[in-house]
Amino acid sequence: MITRGRFQSIFDLAEEIGAWDERPVAPPFADPQVTMSRGSGAQPFFLICSKDTVVIQATGSADAHLRYTGVRHTRMEVGDMVYVPAGVPCRIEPNEESVHLRFKAINPGLEGIAWFCRRCDTEVWRYEFDAEAQPVQQGYLDGCREFNADKSHRTCGGCDTVHPRWTSRDTAGRRSSKLCSSTTRRRRPPEGHPGIVRRP
């Protein structure tokens, strides 16, 4: 279990962080909250937050890919920050082993994960969940499992390309499964909830 405190070494914390963990590292009362992720392979999905976030490249280098905004790609070196507006899908693709910090609201509301077609760039499918009612890692895991389970979720509506299933090698699948094993039930947005809206 990571100790959340005011002053910590990101290099020490990184040893305890899994790939795309989004693990909270700031004190629980801090606003904004700070989460940490580590990875050397591309994030397997686009992350969507219903409130503005800021991503900081703490170590290594990476490319940030965005959708539904004027800037669709930016290179990130150590110390660089990327502002991600609410509702904008963002996917981080490290060029080497990297650590990222994400600043987000203490009450994050809805979050989602989405996949975009590698051929025509159409949004293929998204999964949204209440990030205040469950660990975000559980939401990521549930979304990936549903993406895998239904071929229609992996089929592009624009060009009919069928996308491959997600595997635990792509992210912290086994670690997340263990972390979230105590979650009693999945929380989806209530029926009729408008969800995260950021589409052209």
Side-chain angles (χ1 to χ4, degrees):
M1 179 66 68
I2 289 180
T3 301
R4 299 167 64 175
R6 291 177 181 270
F7 305 103
Q8 304 192 72
S9 167
I10 62 172
F11 303 105
D12 293 339
L13 290 175
E15 296 300 317
E16 305 179 52
I17 298 294
W20 311 115
D21 233 356
E22 292 287 330
R23 191 75 66 88
V25 293
F29 55 81
D31 191 10
Q33 277 289 298
V34 183
T35 65
M36 177 183 284
S37 291
R38 175 176 56 83
S40 57
Q43 195 172 8
F45 47 71
F46 282 77
L47 177 62
I48 311 168
C49 298
S50 60
K51 298 181 180 179
D52 297 352
T53 64
V54 173
V55 179
I56 296 179
Q57 184 79 22
T59 68
S61 63
D63 294 300
H65 301 277
L66 309 171
R67 295 295 183 269
Y68 307 142
T69 185
V71 177
R72 292 173 53 88
H73 170 267
T74 186
R75 180 69 179 264
M76 298 176 66
E77 303 287 350
V78 174
D80 286 346
M81 296 183 289
V82 173
Y83 163 66
V84 184
V88 169
C90 177
R91 177 173 177 261
I92 306 297
E93 186 173 349
N95 299 307
E96 57 190 304
E97 181 77 18
S98 298
V99 173
H100 304 89
L101 301 176
R102 186 185 303 272
F103 289 75
K104 59 198 304 184
I106 191 171
N107 299 311
L110 291 182
E111 289 193 15
I113 58 176
W115 287 263
F116 285 78
C117 183
R118 298 174 182 175
R119 182 177 179 184
C120 70
D121 207 34
T122 298
E123 182 175 326
V124 177
W125 187 70
R126 71 165 61 186
Y127 176 92
E128 296 182 359
F129 59 94
D130 185 349
E132 297 180 38
Q134 66 181 60
V136 294
Q137 297 89 350
Q138 182 69 54
Y140 303 158
L141 195 61
D142 289 341
C144 288
R145 284 173 171 167
E146 290 201 19
F147 180 76
N148 283 355
D150 192 332
K151 183 178 177 181
S152 67
H153 294 339
R154 294 181 284 109
T155 303
C156 176
C159 66
D160 294 327
T161 297
V162 178
H163 293 264
R165 292 181 173 88
W166 163 86
T167 70
S168 60
R169 292 189 301 272
D170 298 324
T171 186
R174 294 185 179 86
R175 179 187 292 268
S176 294
S177 297
K178 183 177 179 181
L179 174 69
C180 302
S181 61
S182 62
T183 302
T184 56
R185 67 186 182 91
R186 184 172 61 221
R187 304 289 185 86
R188 296 293 298 275
E191 195 68 29
H193 195 287
I196 304 171
V197 180
R198 184 75 184 218
R199 292 172 174 159

